[in-house]
């Protein structure tokens, strides 16, 4: 199934988040009831200088874009939990800002949240350094800052880190093992990159190359292309690469949609599939499962979209007087992973996905854009990620 546009996803999300009122369990994780309050409207923000009401805290969420389905779902994970916390009085209100991939807009959004009297700001950073001054300004005002997803270089109140370098490393190591098993240690390798300029891309890329060359130092990376984690871009790119290189022995991909596109391009060209790495998106999992019957080998790293939910819970924990260690304990108890604390940073690791895992995780009631592992109610997911009739 072709990837639906980010605009459609964002529009559907805006129309459906008000129904966050049941619970869905992430695979292997405890379920959590989500609330029924509608998301706060930016236009209803308090005047400058106002503080949180007596009923709870004011939380700001600054998202740098919704251009891919992972980020749309990630925002929904945040909003559904925020509705619950608003309903039970833990927070009095929350505000979600979207910067449309514009660093100046994200800086302005953060400054607006400071002026509005936010008690905490939850933020994925568009670049590692670009938001530092604005985030420091927030902390100087006594605002709790929790950074997740794309990490900033500033030492903020709490930083959630899922090692993208490790995602790349385990992918490269796995591909190296496949090349050795196939007798193609010095073979031709394609690398499909994500959004160049982001810390996510840089770390996944370097980890993948390092992991591969550690196993197969003579492997030849004949092309590396930026495809922005997008199916359509990767499909066109792979069609060109297949026409250029008569022999491709392996592929490292930073995202599930890009690997799905590569599989489809190989099949369309009548080329035998080579070993490919991927990320645990619904469309890629289906393509992997379908092609495994003919001997296709793959693996997937896992970066759950509910990281925004964890970030929100950490913000509330800190506002209630807890420490970063308390946040780590909460993550261990509620999400079943054992984080590592280093100062104000919390490292989280999610196990790689095997074929057996893929068969358990794939959801045929949702379309390719869905990311398995969620706390958003399924009735909402069916609206955001509908299967074509």
């Amino acid at each position: 199934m072709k990837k639906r546009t980010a605009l459609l996803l964002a529009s559907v999300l805006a129309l459906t988040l008000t129904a966050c009122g049941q619970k869905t369990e992430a695979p292997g994780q405890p379920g959590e009831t989500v609330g029924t309050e509608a998301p706060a409207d930016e236009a209803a923000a308090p005047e400058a200088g106002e503080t949180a009401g007596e009923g709870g805290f004011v939380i700001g969420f600054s998202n740098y874009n919704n251009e891919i389905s992972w980020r749309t779902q990630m925002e929904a994970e945040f909003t559904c939990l925020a509705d619950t916390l608003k309903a039970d009085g833990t927070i009095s209100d929350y505000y979600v800002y979207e910067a449309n991939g514009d660093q100046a807009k994200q800086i302005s959004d953060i400054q607006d949240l400071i002026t509005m009297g936010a008690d905490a700001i939850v933020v994925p950073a568009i670049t590692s350094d670009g938001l530092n001054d604005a985030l420091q300004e927030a902390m100087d005002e006594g605002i709790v800052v929790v950074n997740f997803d794309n990490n900033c270089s500033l030492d903020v109140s709490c930083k959630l880190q899922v090692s993208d370098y490790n995602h790349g490393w385990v992918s490269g190591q796995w591909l190296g093992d496949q090349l050795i098993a196939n007798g193609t240690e010095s073979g031709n390798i394609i690398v499909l990159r994500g959004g160049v300029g982001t810390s996510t891309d840089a770390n996944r890329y370097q980890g993948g190359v390092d992991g591969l060359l550690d196993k197969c130092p003579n492997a030849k990376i004949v092309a590396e292309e930026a495809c922005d984690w997008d199916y359509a871009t990767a499909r066109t790119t792979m069609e060109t690469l297949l026409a250029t290189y008569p022999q491709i022995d392996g592929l490292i991909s930073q995202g599930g949609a890009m690997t799905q596109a590569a599989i489809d391009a190989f099949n369309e060209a009548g080329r035998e599939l080579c070993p490919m790495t991927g990320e645990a998106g619904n469309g890629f999992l289906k393509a992997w499962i379908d092609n495994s019957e003919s001997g296709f080998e793959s693996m997937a790293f896992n970066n759950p979209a509910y990281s925004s939910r964890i970030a929100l819970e950490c913000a509330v924990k800190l506002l209630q007087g807890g420490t970063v260690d308390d946040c780590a304990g909460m993550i261990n108890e509620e999400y079943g992973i054992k984080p590592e604390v280093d100062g104000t940073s919390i490292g989280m690791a999610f196990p790689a996905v095997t074929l057996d895992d893929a068969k358990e995780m794939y959801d045929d009631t949702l379309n390719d854009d869905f990311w398995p592992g969620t706390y958003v109610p399924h009735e909402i997911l069916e609206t955001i990620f509908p299967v074509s009739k």
Side-chain angles (χ1 to χ4, degrees):
M1 182 182 299
K2 300 297 189 295
K3 306 307 282 183
R4 288 168 172 77
T5 64
L7 177 61
L8 173 60
L9 288 171
S11 299
V12 172
L13 176 61
L15 291 171
T16 59
L17 284 175
T18 56
C20 292
Q22 298 182 7
K23 70 177 181 180
T24 292
E25 293 190 3
Q29 312 296 350
E32 184 75 12
T33 302
V34 294
T36 57
E37 292 289 326
D41 184 80
E42 289 181 11
E47 296 296 328
E50 285 189 19
T51 58
E54 294 182 0
F57 307 108
V58 174
I59 309 293
F61 177 42
S62 171
N63 194 6
Y64 68 80
N65 74 36
N66 265 333
E67 293 177 357
I68 58 175
S69 62
W70 187 91
R71 306 200 65 78
T72 301
Q73 184 173 329
M74 176 268 286
E75 190 171 297
E77 303 281 350
F78 173 93
T79 307
C80 280
L81 177 59
D83 286 339
T84 297
L85 297 177
K86 186 175 179 181
D88 69 17
T90 301
I91 65 176
S92 60
D93 222 334
Y94 68 94
Y95 303 96
V96 175
Y97 282 81
E98 216 296 302
N100 301 312
D102 183 341
Q103 179 170 289
K105 174 67 164 60
Q106 190 171 27
I107 291 170
S108 176
D109 290 345
I110 292 167
Q111 291 171 336
D112 284 348
L113 290 168
I114 294 170
T115 301
M116 289 158 51
D119 296 295
I121 297 174
V122 175
V123 56
I126 189 169
T127 61
S128 60
D129 301 322
L131 305 184
N132 286 357
D133 288 346
L135 295 177
Q136 185 62 60
E137 180 184 349
M139 290 191 293
D140 289 344
E141 293 292 326
I143 298 171
V144 167
V145 173
V146 177
N147 173 221
F148 75 103
D149 184 28
N150 269 17
N151 290 132
C152 63
S153 59
L154 186 68
D155 185 19
V156 295
S157 309
C158 181
K159 186 179 296 183
L160 298 175
Q161 297 179 312
V162 178
S163 175
D164 285 304
Y165 181 88
N166 186 65
H167 286 333
W169 174 267
V170 298
S171 298
Q173 289 272 289
W174 176 89
L175 183 58
D177 285 336
Q178 296 298 308
L179 297 178
I180 292 169
N182 294 338
T184 55
E185 296 97 322
S186 58
N188 292 341
I189 308 302
I190 301 295
V191 178
L192 298 183
R193 301 187 63 163
V196 174
T198 65
S199 63
T200 301
D201 169 76
N203 290 325
R204 289 183 185 179
Y205 168 76
Q206 195 60 56
V209 171
D210 289 350
L212 170 64
L213 296 182
D214 176 70
K215 290 276 187 176
C216 299
N218 295 321
K220 296 184 288 290
I221 298 175
V222 296
E224 50 184 68
E225 300 288 343
C227 298
D228 296 316
W229 296 293
D230 176 64
Y231 177 95
T233 304
R235 178 67 182 264
T236 301
T237 298
M238 282 306 307
E239 288 169 352
T240 300
L241 292 173
L242 285 165
T244 304
Y245 298 101
Q247 183 64 35
I248 298 174
D249 300 291
L251 182 142
I252 298 177
S253 169
Q254 289 192 10
M258 296 192 298
T259 312
Q260 180 187 0
I263 292 170
D264 290 347
F266 266 78
N267 286 336
E268 181 68 24
R271 293 274 290 270
E272 182 178 354
L273 291 169
C274 65
M276 303 180 190
T277 70
E279 184 178 10
N282 210 41
F284 163 61
L285 295 182
K286 182 180 188 302
W288 179 8
I289 294 165
D290 289 347
N291 288 275
S292 66
E293 297 176 2
S294 58
F296 173 61
E297 297 285 351
S298 190
M299 61 80 68
F301 60 85
N302 191 18
N303 185 28
Y306 60 77
S307 56
S308 58
R309 175 191 179 90
I310 298 176
L312 175 54
E313 290 195 87
C314 287
V316 170
K317 180 73 70 176
L318 294 175
L319 288 170
Q320 291 174 333
T323 65
V324 172
D325 284 330
D326 292 328
C327 293
M330 175 274 296
I331 293 169
N332 186 20
E333 180 178 352
E334 293 191 17
Y335 296 92
I337 59 174
K338 187 174 183 180
E340 295 182 358
V341 177
D342 181 11
T344 58
S345 296
I346 300 176
M348 302 186 296
F350 300 89
V353 175
T354 66
L355 179 59
D356 286 341
D357 296 329
K359 292 176 180 178
E360 291 291 325
M361 295 170 68
Y362 171 64
D363 190 334
D364 64 3
T365 68
L366 301 172
N367 70 31
D368 291 357
D369 295 325
F370 169 62
W371 294 86
T374 182
Y375 290 83
V376 177
H378 202 275
E379 65 185 41
I380 302 303
L381 295 171
E382 288 175 347
T383 308
I384 304 172
F385 304 113
V387 174
S388 299
K389 301 300 184 181

